[in-house]
Amino acid sequence: MKKLLIMAALIAATLPTAAQQVKYSINGISNENGKTVVLRDRLTNQIVNSAVVTNGKFSMSGNAEKNAYMGVSTQDASWFVMLFNDGTPVTINLNDSTLKGSPQNERLTRYDLDINAPYARFMIKMQSMSEEERKTKEIEVVGGLMIATMKMMEGVKKVFDEESETLIPVAFLSEYQQMFGQEKLDSVLATKPAWASHPIVQQQVQQWAQQKAQEEKKNAIVGKQFTDLEEPDVDGNMHKLSEYVGKGKWVLVDFWASWCGPCLREMPNVVAAYEKYHAKGFDVVGLSFDNKKEPWVQAIADQKMPWTHLSDLKGWRTVASGVYDVNSIPDNLLIDPQGKIVARGLRGEALQAKLKTIFGE
């Protein structure tokens, strides 16, 4: 029941292409008659075959790269049964996400079910509780989630401890990185396990390296003077950032948009910081990535954001994106009274903690 992970194939062309082709044969059962079942290559995220469930059964066969990491699911499902194309025919039960095939693929399925079981049980319990009951049992709910998470972590660690000579860890690579961190994963990869040469691993490692380089580039401006730019306010009047920054106040330059859910969820935290520290010399300048004026202005009103707002209404092509290397939002810069950038990407408690060190309680 592994959730679908949309993996961009931006660098797939850099990976080896002259791989051995192996025949696959997949038979299965499903109680969703008429639904289309798809076979997806997890390296490219492309559908390589499909079949319609007829009389509770489906089947697919063809050729794919040897040991390709693949997933089988109904086309609109949020999960898939995973397998490696090792040449052994497989039989899949989409009703309970089980699989029969080679020993490696059968162990892969058992690991997947075992790892997801604690969270599945937790969610079933949550669904049986009313909203009021969840509130009154908040400590129990949080504790239950923590226990489920810890058990999932134990399950993922077990895979990497016990299956170093198989391909099975490939299927849980992202989970391991998220749970234990990139540094820990790097130390595991340094031991050169058998699965490390799989194309999925090569692709993911390269993507992480690109992300790290991108973050380092973004954070390289910390410690430097801000770069000026000019954008119109909600009334269409042009303003330079230098009108507000480097004028003796601490300024949070906030990159956001009315269409950005995470931005709106973070905004109450920014509003709280503004209300708490504005009188002490803290200000905010919002640089929006909106395309249209109406939702931008409406979000400012709805979120009760009393600070200065600028936007050229060019979306991701806004001047702020180019000047400050903004490729995801929410994002922000904290700039000191002299105009030096002292921090980037402060959110939630991190923003409050930083401002507390500057202004005190």
Side-chain angles (χ1 to χ4, degrees):
M1 299 189 296
K2 185 177 177 69
K3 292 182 179 178
L4 290 173
L5 301 171
I6 301 177
M7 300 180 64
L10 297 178
I11 59 175
T14 68
L15 301 176
T17 56
Q20 180 183 349
Q21 295 288 301
V22 172
K23 182 178 180 179
Y24 62 82
S25 177
I26 301 171
N27 292 294
I29 62 173
S30 170
N31 57 17
E32 296 186 287
N33 282 317
K35 283 288 186 73
T36 298
V37 175
V38 298
L39 174 66
R40 194 181 296 269
D41 186 320
R42 304 310 306 162
L43 178 66
T44 63
N45 202 41
Q46 297 298 308
I47 294 174
V48 297
N49 208 335
S50 64
V52 176
V53 179
T54 305
N55 297 323
K57 297 180 180 180
F58 64 90
S59 64
M60 291 178 280
S61 62
N63 293 295
E65 291 185 6
K66 183 179 180 180
N67 291 325
Y69 175 40
M70 311 177 88
V72 177
S73 70
T74 51
Q75 196 160 15
D76 54 355
S78 60
W79 53 267
F80 62 88
V81 176
M82 46 191 173
L83 60 98
F84 291 101
N85 184 33
D86 55 17
T88 302
V90 298
T91 301
I92 294 175
N93 184 339
L94 288 183
N95 300 322
D96 61 11
S97 301
T98 57
L99 174 150
K100 291 184 179 180
S102 67
Q104 177 176 250
N105 278 330
E106 289 185 2
R107 290 202 311 281
L108 171 63
T109 301
R110 287 196 297 271
Y111 279 123
D112 190 34
L113 293 173
D114 289 346
I115 288 170
N116 282 279
Y119 185 73
R121 288 193 293 267
F122 172 77
M123 289 306 300
I124 291 173
K125 184 176 181 179
M126 290 301 98
Q127 291 168 2
S128 68
M129 298 169 64
S130 66
E131 185 175 348
E132 184 63 31
E133 189 177 3
R134 292 176 194 171
K135 290 180 180 179
T136 58
K137 296 183 178 180
E138 183 177 355
I139 295 177
E140 180 183 337
V141 170
V142 173
L145 179 58
M146 290 180 63
I147 291 172
T149 301
M150 289 178 64
K151 288 183 177 179
M152 292 177 72
M153 291 178 68
E154 291 172 0
V156 172
K157 184 177 184 299
K158 182 179 180 181
V159 170
F160 282 74
D161 288 344
E162 298 183 355
E163 299 290 344
S164 63
E165 297 305 314
T166 74
L167 296 177
I168 292 175
V170 171
F172 302 97
L173 188 69
S174 293
E175 286 83 349
Y176 191 91
Q177 190 263 358
Q178 292 165 12
M179 292 175 175
F180 299 101
Q182 187 64 48
E183 185 175 344
K184 180 64 175 176
L185 178 59
D186 287 343
S187 68
V188 174
L189 287 168
T191 66
K192 298 182 179 180
W195 50 268
S197 61
H198 193 279
I200 287 282
V201 180
Q202 295 178 32
Q203 181 191 65
Q204 192 65 72
V205 168
Q206 289 183 48
Q207 288 177 346
W208 285 328
Q210 289 178 346
Q211 291 170 6
K212 182 179 180 181
Q214 194 172 63
E215 287 302 310
E216 289 176 348
K217 181 181 177 182
K218 288 173 62 175
N219 290 325
I221 65 173
V222 175
K224 297 180 180 180
Q225 284 295 112
F226 81 98
T227 300
D228 207 4
L229 55 80
E230 189 175 33
E231 294 190 49
D233 63 17
V234 295
D235 296 317
N237 301 312
M238 298 299 294
H239 292 275
K240 290 185 176 182
L241 190 59
S242 55
E243 294 176 38
Y244 315 99
V245 175
K247 302 297 185 182
K249 289 186 176 182
W250 286 86
V251 180
L252 186 77
V253 177
D254 191 37
F255 306 111
W256 73 290
S258 66
W259 47 260
C260 170
C263 299
L264 299 183
R265 289 193 291 272
E266 173 65 14
M267 205 55 70
N269 182 55
V270 181
V271 171
Y274 180 88
E275 292 176 346
K276 186 173 183 178
Y277 297 111
H278 181 60
K280 295 183 178 183
F282 174 66
D283 209 348
V284 180
V285 176
L287 299 184
S288 170
F289 282 55
D290 275 278
N291 291 288
K292 298 180 180 179
K293 181 178 179 178
E294 291 76 12
W296 172 42
V297 174
Q298 187 62 52
I300 294 171
D302 292 345
Q303 297 291 322
K304 297 180 173 60
M305 300 150 63
W307 49 82
T308 297
H309 291 275
L310 306 176
S311 180
D312 51 18
L313 299 176
K314 294 181 180 180
W316 286 109
R317 295 184 178 181
T318 177
V319 63
S321 177
V323 170
Y324 287 110
D325 249 334
V326 183
N327 46 45
S328 64
I329 52 176
D331 194 3
N332 57 48
L333 305 172
L334 182 61
I335 304 177
D336 76 5
Q338 291 73 46
K340 184 174 72 174
I341 300 169
V342 299
R344 181 166 196 164
L346 294 173
R347 296 172 62 182
E349 288 300 320
L351 174 61
Q352 299 295 339
K354 183 65 176 179
L355 295 178
K356 182 179 178 180
T357 64
I358 295 170
F359 298 105
E361 291 291 349

